[in-house]
Amino acid sequence: NPYVPLEVDGDWGRGTTRALQHCLKEKYNAWGISAPLVVDGLEGENTYRALQRVLNQEGNYNLREDGIAGPATKRALQHYLRVRVDGIWGAATNRALQTRLNNDSF
């Protein structure tokens, strides 16, 4: 993964988004429904839709793949990352995600 190592600082930024997009696209081949997932570091519906698809595949969370990072998506991600499940995508969730992306183990 050419976008790591990320600084595990809990802050969401373009680098974290880019690394997540790369992982979702290359490792999981999770394409957007209407357009391919672009590794551009910009958050958007296709990024969240791909994340929802991977979470459904890996954890069977039965998420609606709508491209919206709502409470159910946030809780599923937190459960998957084994952090406190509170539905709030904050620093602890970001740190866990950044660590997984650095280890190429999403």
Side-chain angles (χ1 to χ4, degrees):
N1 184 341
Y3 302 105
V4 293
L6 294 167
E7 184 176 350
V8 181
D9 58 6
D11 290 331
W12 186 272
R14 286 186 77 151
T16 301
T17 303
R18 194 175 295 115
L20 176 62
Q21 290 168 331
H22 178 79
C23 178
L24 295 173
K25 182 176 179 181
E26 301 301 324
K27 187 171 182 181
Y28 292 97
N29 197 26
W31 294 83
I33 290 172
S34 60
L37 179 61
V38 177
V39 181
D40 59 6
L42 301 174
E43 295 175 63
E45 285 185 16
N46 282 341
T47 301
Y48 291 125
R49 188 175 290 117
L51 175 62
Q52 290 163 332
R53 183 165 301 149
V54 169
L55 287 170
N56 281 337
Q57 290 170 357
E58 297 297 308
N60 197 26
Y61 292 103
N62 198 29
L63 295 170
R64 188 167 160 220
E65 295 175 11
D66 59 5
I68 299 169
T73 299
K74 293 172 186 175
R75 285 191 300 271
L77 177 63
Q78 290 169 328
H79 183 267
Y80 184 76
L81 294 173
R82 295 186 177 114
V83 296
R84 183 171 166 231
V85 178
D86 59 9
I88 299 168
W89 194 330
T93 303
N94 287 336
R95 280 191 298 275
L97 180 60
Q98 290 164 337
T99 298
R100 289 271 188 108
L101 292 169
N102 277 346
N103 293 331
D104 197 30
S105 64
F106 184 86

